[in-house]
Amino acid sequence: MKDVLLNEKLPQITAVILHKKEELAEQKRHYQFYNHDVYVQLVPWREKLIKIYAESISIDEELTFQILEKWGMEVANVLTTLQLPLDIALEEISYYRNLIGEIITEEAKKENFSFDLFSKIISRYNLVVDKAVHWVSKSYMKDYTDKIQSAQYAIDELSIPVVRITKEIGVIPLVGEIDTHRAQILMENALKQGNTYKLSWLIIDLSAVPIIDTMVADQLFKVVAALKLIGIDVVLSGIRSEIALTMVQLGVKLNDIVTFNSLYGALDYTNSRMQ
């Protein structure tokens, strides 16, 4: 009997909420710090949230969860695109939880729902809201992490550029410490850009590298070896006296790699070899 009553009454509650959808969305027009552009971006997914909340009362639970998952991804994309914090979405979800919860309560009173019936409806509704929080948070963190990683990759690319000096000579001016991660970026950029530019010589300038130890030397050997395999000769420049002393003390040997204490000397050398 209860299920029959639910099937009759729940669509009515859904219809009441949907009828007020635009009105409910408009209630937050001047809320907090939203400017007009942000407001315009937020309205569509705010209305969609209200629609999902309304329909969740009367449609299949699993279908509601599937719709919420898609909605959560859309919301996360809007927030990260507008560079807005996750708090905004969570506040919206909470705000409409309370607002629509009040509407459900009022309609239940009008229809004289029993406590058990009302409890069943509210429990189902709250589960949907909790799922909304879950999917928005999960999607937002994924989008945020992806954007951070993408930005970090762009920074890495810019921090180890291959500068084309002549048609066949390029320079990589390294700045800062070389760790395993940066060494991998150095390898990738040197091979990729060296091949793209069809270089014959590549100068790796170490003038702004504070420390040359066995790890850095080993990474440089690997880069030099890889470049030689694709037909690019390497010259190291910027080997300052203190770095040369440290390398001798550590027993680091650069084998057959040509080195210079200045970029000018390396350029002069590579130019002479091209003539």
Side-chain angles (χ1 to χ4, degrees), residues 87-104:
D87 291 356
I88 286 180
L90 298 183
E91 192 282 329
E92 294 268 343
I93 291 171
S94 176
Y95 178 84
Y96 286 107
R97 176 204 290 266
N98 298 331
L99 206 60
I100 293 175
E102 290 174 1
I103 295 175
I104 294 173

Side-chain angles (χ1 to χ4, degrees), residues 85-261:
L86 176 60
D87 291 356
I88 286 180
L90 298 183
E91 192 282 329
E92 294 268 343
I93 291 171
S94 176
Y95 178 84
Y96 286 107
R97 176 204 290 266
N98 298 331
L99 206 60
I100 293 175
E102 290 174 1
I103 295 175
I104 294 173
T105 301
E106 290 173 3
E107 293 301 313
K109 286 179 180 178
K110 288 180 184 177
E111 298 294 335
N112 295 315
F113 281 11
S114 68
F115 176 79
D116 288 344
L117 200 57
F118 174 71
S119 178
K120 186 172 183 178
I121 296 171
I122 285 296
S123 295
R124 178 174 176 175
Y125 171 67
N126 282 329
L127 179 60
V128 168
V129 177
D130 291 340
K131 283 288 185 180
V133 172
H134 168 76
W135 282 114
V136 169
S137 300
K138 182 177 180 179
S139 299
Y140 181 88
M141 292 310 299
K142 182 181 182 302
D143 282 2
Y144 183 80
T145 301
D146 289 346
K147 287 183 184 297
I148 288 294
Q149 290 177 342
S150 178
Q152 184 59 54
Y153 183 78
I155 290 171
D156 290 337
E157 287 280 298
L158 292 172
S159 71
I160 306 180
V162 176
V163 182
R164 194 174 187 179
I165 302 300
T166 68
K167 183 178 179 180
E168 297 183 63
I169 301 173
V171 176
I172 298 182
L174 296 179
V175 178
E177 295 183 5
I178 307 298
D179 55 16
T180 303
H181 175 67
R182 291 196 74 207
Q184 182 61 37
I185 299 296
L186 169 60
M187 175 77 80
E188 293 174 0
N189 281 10
L191 291 172
K192 179 182 176 181
Q193 297 301 323
N195 187 58
T196 299
Y197 294 151
K198 301 187 184 306
L199 300 177
S200 298
W201 291 88
L202 187 58
I203 301 170
I204 300 178
D205 184 59
L206 307 172
S207 300
V209 176
I211 299 174
I212 298 290
D213 56 19
T214 51
M215 188 280 287
V216 174
D218 181 61
Q219 297 294 341
L220 288 174
F221 292 151
K222 291 178 180 178
V223 173
V224 171
L227 287 167
K228 282 187 175 181
L229 287 176
I230 63 172
I232 299 176
D233 290 314
V234 178
V235 174
L236 299 183
S237 66
I239 307 295
R240 306 185 303 278
S241 57
E242 61 270 26
I243 288 181
L245 180 59
T246 300
M247 293 173 69
V248 170
Q249 291 173 342
L250 291 173
V252 175
K253 297 180 180 179
L254 296 180
N255 299 326
D256 299 327
I257 303 176
V258 179
T259 65
F260 291 88
N261 65 352

Side-chain angles (χ1 to χ4, degrees), residues 27 41 57 63 67 70 164 177 187 205-206:
Q27 287 185 19
Q41 293 276 3
I57 298 168
L63 176 58
I67 296 171
K70 182 179 179 181
R164 194 174 187 179
E177 295 183 5
M187 175 77 80
D205 184 59
L206 307 172

